[in-house]
Amino acid sequence: MSGSRIVALGHYQPPKVLTNDDLAALVDTTDEWIRSRVGIRTRHIAEGESLVDLATEAAQKALARSGRTADEIDLVVVATCTAIERSPNTAAAVAARLGVRSPAAYDINTVCSGFSYALATADHAIRAGAARRALVIGAERMSDTLDWTDRSTCVIFGDGAGAAVVEAQEEGAEPGIGPVVWGSEPERGDAVVITGWDPVISQQGQAVFRWATTQLAPLARQACERAGIDPSELKGFVPHQANLRIIDAIAKKLGAPDAVVARDVVDSGNTSAASIPLAFSKLVERGELSPGDPVLLFGFGGGLAYAGQVVRCP
Ligand code: UT7
């Protein structure tokens, strides 16, 4: 099989915006601390909108931009670590809302690297002939996991969703989704924890920061190598939006001087599995990337899992 490509992207963020000053009224923090340590200025918080609402909005936009209809989709994959409902899963609930008939529909949870994992499994399903056209969604209501008295976490996360329509390539065409580089350090899984029935997120921030800034750049370069691309040829780099200092450190080591680097964390905070499709969709919408541009996606975080691949911009 010739593989698959992303034909359209879409994103959605709930309208309520929390500024750093809003948070300084809740916990002992400052705009200066948050901007200098994490790079965030604002984040969006869902009120009265469920995870399925966020995911459906983003998917609807991607579908509309693709020019395809819901009944042409045969696979729905949702990456999320904040699904409260176990059954139906988020993917099935979104499919029902959109009117996708009889799709394969499943959720993936690899926390912040989830979208790149989901994209890889959709690409693999298409290559194997098990699907032809997929909706791949990253969606999170991180606010459900926040302790609004804990300044070390409540200033960092936000809610949102991003989605991609992925379809089979013409026979012989160059693959639009490159080979995935993925893995994890399961023995360090307790570095990011969301557990229990009323889950609250906690993380060993410095340990994750060190891992991200020292271990991930070679893996990101490996994803380029497997796609047959030198990092210097990249036109875009969309890493997980955890911290501006992490993004800039990996981008510097990657060596991609011509790549537009996604820095949506500034406006949106850390939206876990939603951060990559959200940031990617915004870059395309603003015309900062053009059709066919090679773009490296690279997710990382809880698990400690990572996944990345080079894709062609829709
Ligand atoms: O997306 C999932 C994967 N997660 C990540 O990639 C996160 C990676 N880690 C990070 O981004 C950073 O470690 C954080 C942003 C989480 C924290 O930044 P940091 O520079 O590592 O701060 P720290 O945890 O070392 O804390 C330094 C100080 C502490 O005070 P003392 O002990 O030095 O007096 C904290 O209590 O900053 C304090 N602090 C705050 N101060 C003001 C922690 N949170 C805040 C806050 N406002 N919101």
Side-chain angles (χ1 to χ4, degrees):
M1 296 294 285
S2 295
S4 68
R5 66 190 177 110
I6 296 174
V7 291
L9 293 161
H11 64 272
Y12 177 76
Q13 291 178 284
K16 181 173 180 175
V17 173
L18 271 191
T19 66
N20 293 342
D21 287 337
D22 292 334
L23 287 162
L26 294 179
V27 289
D28 181 16
T29 192
T30 60
D31 177 53
E32 200 282 327
W33 190 96
I34 300 170
R35 280 194 205 203
S36 62
R37 297 287 182 119
V38 207
I40 300 170
R41 289 167 190 247
T42 57
R43 70 287 290 145
H44 292 244
I45 299 295
E47 280 184 330
E49 284 178 294
S50 69
L51 178 68
V52 173
D53 293 333
L54 306 181
T56 303
E57 289 279 351
Q60 242 157 4
K61 287 184 181 163
L63 206 52
R65 284 181 185 151
S66 73
R68 305 293 184 189
T69 56
D71 56 9
E72 292 177 280
I73 299 291
D74 57 8
L75 172 64
V76 181
V77 191
V78 176
T80 185
C81 67
T82 50
I84 295 169
E85 316 300 347
R86 272 66 169 173
S87 180
N89 61 29
T90 316
V94 171
R97 289 272 192 92
L98 294 173
V100 181
R101 280 179 289 162
S102 62
Y106 57 89
D107 292 3
I108 281 187
N109 175 11
T110 54
V111 203
C112 303
S113 57
F115 183 77
S116 281
Y117 270 83
L119 191 62
T121 68
D123 176 54
H124 298 168
I126 290 171
R127 282 174 187 273
R132 278 204 60 78
R133 190 167 292 113
L135 259 175
V136 182
I137 304 164
E140 302 282 15
R141 257 186 69 120
M142 294 306 289
S143 57
D144 280 339
T145 71
L146 294 178
D147 171 355
W148 292 100
T149 65
D150 177 3
R151 68 177 182 175
S152 72
T153 51
C154 76
V155 305
I156 289 174
F157 295 96
D159 301 335
V165 176
V166 175
E167 63 183 35
Q169 293 270 78
E170 302 280 308
E171 203 60 51
E174 197 186 318
I177 297 180
V180 69
V181 168
W182 59 11
S184 63
E185 293 193 25
E187 70 284 359
R188 298 182 68 197
D190 61 354
V192 180
V193 171
I194 312 174
T195 53
W197 287 103
D198 188 11
V200 173
I201 190 166
S202 62
Q203 62 175 343
Q204 298 163 18
Q206 284 194 10
V208 182
F209 187 96
R210 262 196 310 278
W211 170 73
T213 51
T214 60
Q215 306 298 308
L216 299 183
L219 296 163
R221 293 182 69 87
Q222 214 178 86
C224 296
E225 200 179 302
R226 290 207 188 151
I229 275 189
D230 189 84
S232 63
E233 298 171 80
L234 289 172
K235 292 283 187 251
F237 176 42
V238 186
H240 168 49
Q241 303 290 298
N243 182 321
L244 200 54
R245 291 190 293 146
I246 296 176
I247 293 168
D248 288 340
I250 300 177
K252 194 171 168 197
K253 288 186 182 173
L254 180 63
D258 294 335
V260 175
V261 178
R263 294 191 172 87
D264 186 48
V265 66
V266 175
D267 299 319
S268 305
N270 180 342
T271 57
S272 191
S275 84
I276 288 178
L278 189 55
F280 190 13
S281 177
K282 286 185 183 180
L283 287 179
V284 173
E285 192 174 81
R286 292 199 298 259
E288 294 185 46
L289 290 168
S290 304
D293 280 351
V295 178
L296 173 64
L297 312 182
F298 201 87
F300 59 87
L304 293 171
Y306 59 83
Q309 62 272 89
V310 174
V311 302
R312 292 284 166 176
C313 187

